[in-house]
Amino acid sequence: MGLISFKDLHLDEVHDVLGGRGLLDRGPLIAEQAYRGVHGQFAQRFADIRGLSHRKVARLDDTFSLRALTLESVHEADDRSRRYVFRLDDGGVVESVLIPRHARWSLCVSSQAGCALGCRFCATGMLGLKRSLEPWEIVDQVLQVGRHAGVRVDGVVFMGMGEPLQNEGAVFQACRVLSCREGLQVSPRKIQISTAGVVPAIHRYTASNHRMDLVFSLVSAVPEKRALLMPIQKTYGFHELIDAIRAYAASRPKRHVTLEYIAIKDLTLGDDDIDAIREHLVGFPFILDVIPLNPVEGSSLETPGREEVRAWTERLRPLGFPVKVRLSAGQDRLAGCGQLGATLL
Ligand code: SAH
Ligand code: SF4
């Protein structure tokens, strides 16, 4: 029988596997010990976990593998954020970005190697899709960065490479593992899943009992502009997307939905953009997260000046919703949103 990848599993599933093979007869603690060792102390071999007898180590080794990504390089930016580059078993590359948030640490993870959606402003999109990641390949980004940086990762955002809602099963399983009580204990409330607008998956999410936050790459509120920037809009239209966001918002009353808006020079900072926001974004509470475009080579889109972004967002104030201007972490080390994978082009 082949070995099962340990980092794919929630503690309850580790129990089930061991129980199913009659290996729990020495008490259920073997599962907890192994789980705490791998997820809490970042052990890379079962033999390194303190307190596990040789017998238990042998049972675990006969059942599970501790497959891991290969850490290729780490790049630290001036703002203390760090970009981690990992090699996959089949040669692909994914990246994660560790972001300091006051006294805490948040990790931006990848859900796919590359991305199939081809947004015009995004370096990952220019790569095309190599493949989706498995749950353990998502979980291991968090484990390895925590181990390397010596920090407890407190929040996880799926804003790295890939479209998480085109890899739903693996992403949700990874979230279960990351929030497990004997593991990293990342609260689902501190996990954000960013989507470019895979409408049927948004509806499925709304109907589910997942507790992570979805955030939405609106990018532009003018349907024609969004269509030019995001080919996915040919499949799922603008109004369909807004309806899906509205239904999602209705399912979590009292919480604001985050909409990511990209500030692009001469394109998304006009009067018509303000009119479109006023016209289309009605009937649900939201925060507009304005991200000035991070330059991506091979694209003719330009980054606006700081003053232009500030002046435009000031004009949104009377509309009465919260607006944040978000400067991406680590731009000088190509770790900003949409820059992941830029070195692979
Ligand atoms: N595929 C998902 C998540 C990954 S992209 C999505 O599209 O939402 C994460 C965020 O980075 C998205 O909000 C996306 O709009 C933004 N982004 C992509 N390229 C960017 C760029 N060049 N400059 C600024 N933000 C960018
Ligand atoms: Fe894919 Fe998101 Fe980049 Fe679009 S913005 S190409 S969906 S990773």
Side-chain angles (χ1 to χ4, degrees), residues 256 259 274 277-278 281 284-290 312-313 315-324:
H256 281 70
L259 304 179
I274 295 178
I277 288 172
R278 190 188 287 114
L281 306 184
F284 62 98
F286 65 90
I287 296 175
L288 199 71
D289 229 348
V290 179
W312 185 79
T313 51
R315 295 177 55 207
L316 295 174
R317 301 278 173 211
L319 299 187
F321 52 80
V323 181
K324 279 195 287 185

Side-chain angles (χ1 to χ4, degrees), residues 50 116 181 202 292 337:
R50 242 178 297 134
R181 63 188 182 280
I202 297 169
C337 296

Side-chain angles (χ1 to χ4, degrees), residues 178-193:
L178 292 173
S179 54
C180 179
R181 63 188 182 280
E182 297 287 348
L184 290 165
Q185 297 173 18
V186 180
S187 159
R189 295 255 179 237
K190 294 204 173 147
I191 300 180
Q192 288 190 321
I193 299 174

Side-chain angles (χ1 to χ4, degrees), residues 121-122 158-160 162-163 194-196 217 260 262 293-294 296 337-338:
F121 47 81
C122 175
F158 285 84
M159 294 186 191
E163 168 51 48
S194 176
T195 178
S217 287
E260 298 165 296
I262 306 196
L293 178 81
N294 292 316
V296 170
C337 296

Side-chain angles (χ1 to χ4, degrees), residues 189-325:
R189 295 255 179 237
K190 294 204 173 147
I191 300 180
Q192 288 190 321
I193 299 174
S194 176
T195 178
V198 185
V199 167
I202 297 169
H203 285 301
R204 275 196 293 280
Y205 192 91
T206 301
S208 76
N209 51 14
H210 291 307
R211 288 179 297 134
M212 296 79 77
D213 273 338
L214 283 188
V215 305
F216 301 91
S217 287
L218 179 73
V219 176
S220 161
V222 175
E224 298 76 20
K225 292 186 189 179
R226 192 173 186 277
L228 284 178
L229 293 166
M230 303 180 78
I232 188 179
Q233 201 169 289
K234 284 195 209 84
T235 313
Y236 305 115
F238 183 86
H239 297 286
E240 257 182 273
L241 172 62
I242 300 296
D243 286 346
I245 297 175
R246 202 175 282 120
Y248 170 77
S251 75
R252 12 190 94 201
K254 296 198 200 131
R255 283 169 76 87
H256 281 70
V257 174
T258 298
L259 304 179
E260 298 165 296
Y261 189 94
I262 306 196
I264 306 175
K265 188 170 187 277
D266 299 328
L267 190 63
T268 60
L269 301 179
D271 293 345
D272 54 333
D273 298 293
I274 295 178
D275 292 343
I277 288 172
R278 190 188 287 114
E279 183 185 341
H280 299 305
L281 306 184
V282 287
F284 62 98
F286 65 90
I287 296 175
L288 199 71
D289 229 348
V290 179
I291 314 168
L293 178 81
N294 292 316
V296 170
E297 219 168 300
S299 153
S300 56
L301 302 171
E302 287 183 54
T303 309
R306 267 179 194 228
E307 183 48 33
E308 191 186 347
V309 177
R310 199 198 57 77
W312 185 79
T313 51
E314 272 312 307
R315 295 177 55 207
L316 295 174
R317 301 278 173 211
L319 299 187
F321 52 80
V323 181
K324 279 195 287 185
V325 178

Side-chain angles (χ1 to χ4, degrees), residues 112 114-126 160-164 194-196 217 230 338:
Q112 299 182 308
C115 181
L117 297 185
C119 301
R120 303 278 179 253
F121 47 81
C122 175
T124 308
M126 291 178 195
M161 298 166 77
E163 168 51 48
S194 176
T195 178
S217 287
M230 303 180 78

